[in-house]
Amino acid sequence: GAGVSQSPSNKVTEKGKDVELRCDPISGHTALYWYRQRLGQGLEFLIYFQGNSAPDKSGLPSDRFSAERTGESVSTLTIQRTQQEDSAVYLCASSYYRGNEQFFGPGTRLTVL
Amino acid sequence: DQQVKQNSPSLSVQEGRISILNCDYTNSMFDYFLWYKKYPAEGPTFLISISSIKDKNEDGRFTVFLNKSAKHLSLHIVPSQPGDSAVYFCAASDLAGGSQGNLIFGKGTKLSVKP
């Protein structure tokens, strides 16, 4: 069956521009997570969605970052006024419910020039 | 301040021998631990997990050991195969404490298995 998909796979943008990253979770998975991995670092939690509950935004690094998810479907991560330190691979993961093993997408590599 | 530490950035092992990847954590509230494997240009894939009520979990060539008193876990791969060459991430979660299940990851250890 289809896994988690993300688009675009690569995004190069200029400092100050806004970017939008998309995640399609596995069908039926109620939990969706966004992580990022900066060069030489581990994966860093950003935000978590569980069904229609209020998202856990505790990992978002600044108010330039936001994310939305409609029900149990697609999620978009938006970064406004991008900075060079935002350059990273942004990974989306989904699981059937919180605490279950998370299935990751291939990631979006964001480069901010 | 890192809560999950993988102190060896890389490990090289001969095919057929045992690979031992180590992970230390600082948060005593962590109660669920996972290992993920990541190939270049792909997302991490789940490998094996262990709950804090156990000290060992085995799945084929992969065994995870948990030492709660030392706040240490390790992944053993035996026998190692060239296809095991990848970056291995240790991750932890505090489920009983009400965490949403978001994982705290280490920085990863790059395993190279030489034929």
Side-chain angles (χ1 to χ4, degrees):
Chain A
V4 177
S5 61
Q6 292 185 246
S7 61
S9 55
N10 278 285
K11 175 72 176 178
V12 180
T13 190
E14 293 179 347
K15 179 181 170 181
K17 301 278 190 184
D18 297 352
V19 295
E20 191 172 279
L21 313 179
R22 177 187 168 109
C23 171
D24 281 89
I26 292 172
S27 177
H29 280 193
T30 63
L32 186 147
Y33 305 81
W34 283 96
Y35 295 87
R36 74 174 174 183
Q37 185 180 17
R38 290 188 280 188
L39 193 63
Q41 303 295 314
L43 282 78
E44 175 189 3
F45 166 74
L46 298 177
I47 189 169
Y48 159 79
F49 294 91
Q50 175 67 55
N52 293 316
S53 302
D56 175 359
K57 305 179 183 179
S58 60
L60 295 179
S62 79
D63 59 7
R64 296 186 295 105
F65 287 72
S66 62
E68 291 184 352
R69 186 186 188 197
T70 305
E72 295 180 0
S73 62
V74 170
S75 175
T76 55
L77 176 70
T78 302
I79 308 172
Q80 295 178 308
R81 305 180 302 282
T82 52
Q83 304 293 312
Q84 288 181 331
E85 63 262 28
D86 299 335
S87 296
V89 176
Y90 288 81
L91 288 151
C92 174
S94 71
S95 65
Y96 180 67
Y97 191 65
R98 81 172 184 88
N100 292 111
E101 293 79 19
Q102 296 176 22
F103 294 83
F104 283 81
T108 294
R109 181 175 294 279
L110 174 66
T111 303
V112 182
L113 302 177
Chain B
D1 197 24
Q2 272 201 290
Q3 297 188 68
V4 177
K5 299 177 185 178
Q6 293 177 258
N7 291 320
S8 298
S10 63
L11 174 68
S12 183
V13 170
Q14 203 68 32
E15 180 179 7
R17 308 294 282 266
I18 186 171
S19 296
I20 300 176
L21 298 115
N22 293 303
C23 178
D24 297 289
Y25 61 96
T26 57
N27 188 343
S28 57
M29 300 302 292
F30 286 147
D31 54 11
Y32 186 53
F33 304 89
L34 307 90
W35 284 93
Y36 280 81
K37 173 176 160 179
K38 186 180 185 302
Y39 293 116
E42 294 183 12
T45 55
F46 169 74
L47 199 55
I48 192 168
S49 64
I50 188 166
S51 160
S52 60
I53 63 172
K54 302 176 82 171
D55 54 20
K56 177 182 174 181
N57 189 25
E58 193 171 348
D59 183 2
R61 296 186 297 115
F62 303 90
T63 304
V64 55
F65 295 92
L66 175 62
N67 182 335
K68 288 190 291 293
S69 60
K71 296 192 182 70
H72 177 84
L73 65 155
S74 60
L75 174 68
H76 293 212
I77 307 173
V78 56
S80 302
Q81 300 173 354
D84 296 330
S85 298
V87 177
Y88 288 79
F89 289 98
C90 171
S93 184
D94 166 21
L95 291 182
S99 117
Q100 306 290 9
N102 52 286
L103 300 172
I104 310 298
F105 284 85
K107 290 187 177 183
T109 297
K110 184 175 182 179
L111 174 67
S112 300
V113 180
K114 302 192 182 305

